[in-house]
């Protein structure tokens, strides 16, 4: 008897965009999948599973039609042909199969980006919704890719990562402190308000949190951010800012817990600067270098404050657990 999937119809869609950005620069952004959460609006988190000589496997979490979905993909990278091909190894319904390619074709001083998907649905009735989600995400990805690559600055000046690490009495207690962000207004002086909703985690899957946070700055003003957080118990909490501050086109981050030899927590940020907003936000004459320094100081200070309070909470929990003399 034939299996049902043998009768599934493969569909193909092609999305293109012409941009004055150099083809090599565009290719490099697509090739560095670990940076996607700060580049592409739908991408929440990418975990590299394997990488060797032009082959790569990763698991990605992304927002699809308002829900966080995850899948595992295998990619082949060809820097000479400026082509990346991909195939999902583990999909989620309603997708039965998915693959495709990125191609960067030099075109009269610019580049034509060609993003191709071939796919099949578990249920043909789900096809319109699947195609609509694919169209929406592809258009967002193409636009974001071109917008960043067209800037007249080296990519490493606009898109960069930094981190701070602190040793704590207990990584587990520190994890509990950072996971319970709904309690931060009571625990952190720079947090005014947090609204948190959470989806129960399936076995082997992270919990998904939708967090809106009001932060109080040193001058007493406030700004509100919204993030999606993925909570991997005892290991990491990663997040993607859905609406980054005006100075940024993208911002993702992580709290990383190392409980091997010494209990440490690392706060990591990956940011993409929007150079067109630098003078508007920081003042006339300010540069991308000024924006880098400002972001490193401001985001780092908030993270270090959270780390210090998490360490203090972990110390208090350890002291409370010790038997009385």
């Amino acid at each position: 008897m034939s299996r049902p999937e043998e009768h599934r119809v493969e569909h193909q869609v092609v999305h293109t965009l012409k941009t004055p950005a150099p083809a090599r620069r565009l290719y490099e952004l697509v090739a560095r999948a670990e940076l996607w959460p700060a580049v592409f609006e739908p991408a929440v988190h990418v975990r590299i599973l394997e990488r060797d000589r032009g082959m790569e496997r990763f698991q990605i979490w992304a927002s699809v039609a308002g829900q966080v979905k995850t899948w595992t993909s295998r990619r082949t990278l060809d820097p000479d042909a400026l082509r990346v091909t991909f195939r999902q190894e583990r999909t989620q319904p309603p997708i039965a199969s998915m693959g495709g390619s990125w191609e960067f074709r030099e075109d009269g001083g610019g580049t034509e980006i060609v993003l191709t998907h071939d796919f099949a649905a578990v249920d043909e009735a789900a096809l319109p919704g699947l195609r609509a989600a694919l169209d929406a995400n592809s258009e967002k990805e193409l636009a974001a890719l071109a917008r960043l690559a067209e800037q007249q600055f080296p990519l490493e000046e606009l898109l960069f990562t930094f981190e701070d690490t602190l040793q704590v009495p207990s990584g587990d207690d520190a994890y509990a402190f950072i996971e319970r962000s709904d309690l931060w207004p009571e625990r952190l002086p720079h947090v005014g308000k947090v609204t948190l909703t959470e989806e129960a985690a399936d076995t082997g899957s992270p919990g998904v949190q939708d967090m809106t946070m009001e932060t109080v700055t040193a001058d007493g003003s406030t700004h509100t951010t919204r993030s999606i957080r993925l909570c991997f118990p005892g290991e990491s909490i990663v997040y993607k800012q859905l609406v980054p501050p005006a100075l940024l086109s993208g911002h993702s981050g992580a709290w990383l817990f190392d409980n091997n030899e010494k209990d440490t927590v690392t706060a990591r940020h990956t940011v993409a600067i929007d150079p067109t907003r630098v003078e508007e936000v920081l003042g006339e004459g300010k540069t991308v270098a000024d924006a880098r320094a400002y972001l490193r100081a401001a985001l780092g200070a908030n993270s270090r404050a959270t780390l210090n309070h998490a360490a203090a909470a972990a110390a208090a929990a350890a002291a409370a657990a010790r038997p009385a003399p």
Side-chain angles (χ1 to χ4, degrees), residues 75 80 138 157 175 195 213 252 269 294 318 323:
R75 302 200 304 169
D80 296 324
S138 295
E157 291 185 15
Y175 177 92
T195 302
M213 180 172 68
S252 65
H269 296 270
Y294 171 82

Side-chain angles (χ1 to χ4, degrees), residues 45-49 57-61 232 235-236 238:
H45 178 54
V46 174
R47 176 172 290 188
I48 304 298
L49 304 176
R57 291 178 63 248
F58 62 73
Q59 185 172 3
I60 182 171
W61 287 259
F232 301 85
E235 175 193 337
S236 63
V238 301

Side-chain angles (χ1 to χ4, degrees), residues 34-240:
E34 65 272 20
L35 298 178
W36 284 3
V39 177
F40 295 138
E41 180 184 333
V44 175
H45 178 54
V46 174
R47 176 172 290 188
I48 304 298
L49 304 176
E50 185 180 353
R51 177 179 281 164
D52 181 43
R53 296 183 180 181
M55 186 281 296
E56 180 180 74
R57 291 178 63 248
F58 62 73
Q59 185 172 3
I60 182 171
W61 287 259
S63 178
V64 180
Q67 291 186 309
V68 176
K69 300 284 188 178
T70 185
W71 60 89
T72 302
S73 288
R74 178 180 293 271
R75 302 200 304 169
T76 300
L77 295 90
D78 187 339
D80 296 324
L82 298 179
R83 177 182 172 89
V84 179
T85 59
F86 56 90
R87 176 67 52 186
Q88 289 188 12
E89 294 183 334
R90 181 170 62 85
T91 62
Q92 278 199 4
I95 298 171
S97 65
M98 176 77 75
S101 65
W102 290 88
E103 295 182 72
F104 305 93
R105 303 171 182 174
E106 294 181 350
D107 181 22
T111 305
E112 182 184 34
I113 312 170
V114 181
L115 175 56
T116 303
H117 289 89
D118 58 79
F119 59 96
V122 174
D123 180 355
E124 288 295 300
L127 194 59
L130 174 57
R131 180 155 186 167
L134 188 60
D135 287 341
N137 278 11
S138 295
E139 289 168 7
K140 289 176 183 177
E141 290 170 354
L142 289 172
L145 188 64
R147 186 167 54 246
L148 182 56
E150 287 171 7
Q151 301 299 330
Q152 300 302 307
F153 297 89
L155 286 177
E156 60 271 17
E157 291 185 15
L158 299 178
L159 184 60
F160 63 101
T161 298
F162 59 89
E163 57 186 38
D164 294 287
T165 299
L166 183 70
Q167 188 171 350
V168 296
S170 165
D172 289 340
D173 289 332
Y175 177 92
F177 181 96
I178 292 173
E179 182 188 33
R180 288 298 306 272
S181 60
D182 56 316
L183 300 178
W184 284 2
E186 307 165 18
R187 296 172 165 180
L188 297 175
H190 66 278
V191 176
K193 181 180 179 181
V194 170
T195 302
L196 185 72
T197 60
E198 185 167 6
E199 298 177 16
D202 298 328
T203 303
S205 299
V208 179
Q209 296 182 340
D210 188 328
M211 182 183 79
T212 300
M213 180 172 68
E214 183 181 278
T215 303
V216 182
T217 60
D219 62 6
S221 61
T222 63
H223 69 272
T224 301
T225 60
R226 183 183 171 202
S227 301
I228 295 295
R229 306 206 313 172
L230 306 178
C231 301
F232 301 85
E235 175 193 337
S236 63
I237 296 174
V238 301
Y239 59 89
K240 161 68 174 276

Side-chain angles (χ1 to χ4, degrees), residues 262-282:
K262 295 180 178 179
D263 285 14
T264 61
V265 186
T266 296
R268 176 183 295 165
H269 296 270
T270 299
V271 298
I273 295 174
D274 181 353
T276 67
R277 307 291 297 276
V278 171
E279 290 193 345
E280 174 190 337
V281 176
L282 299 182

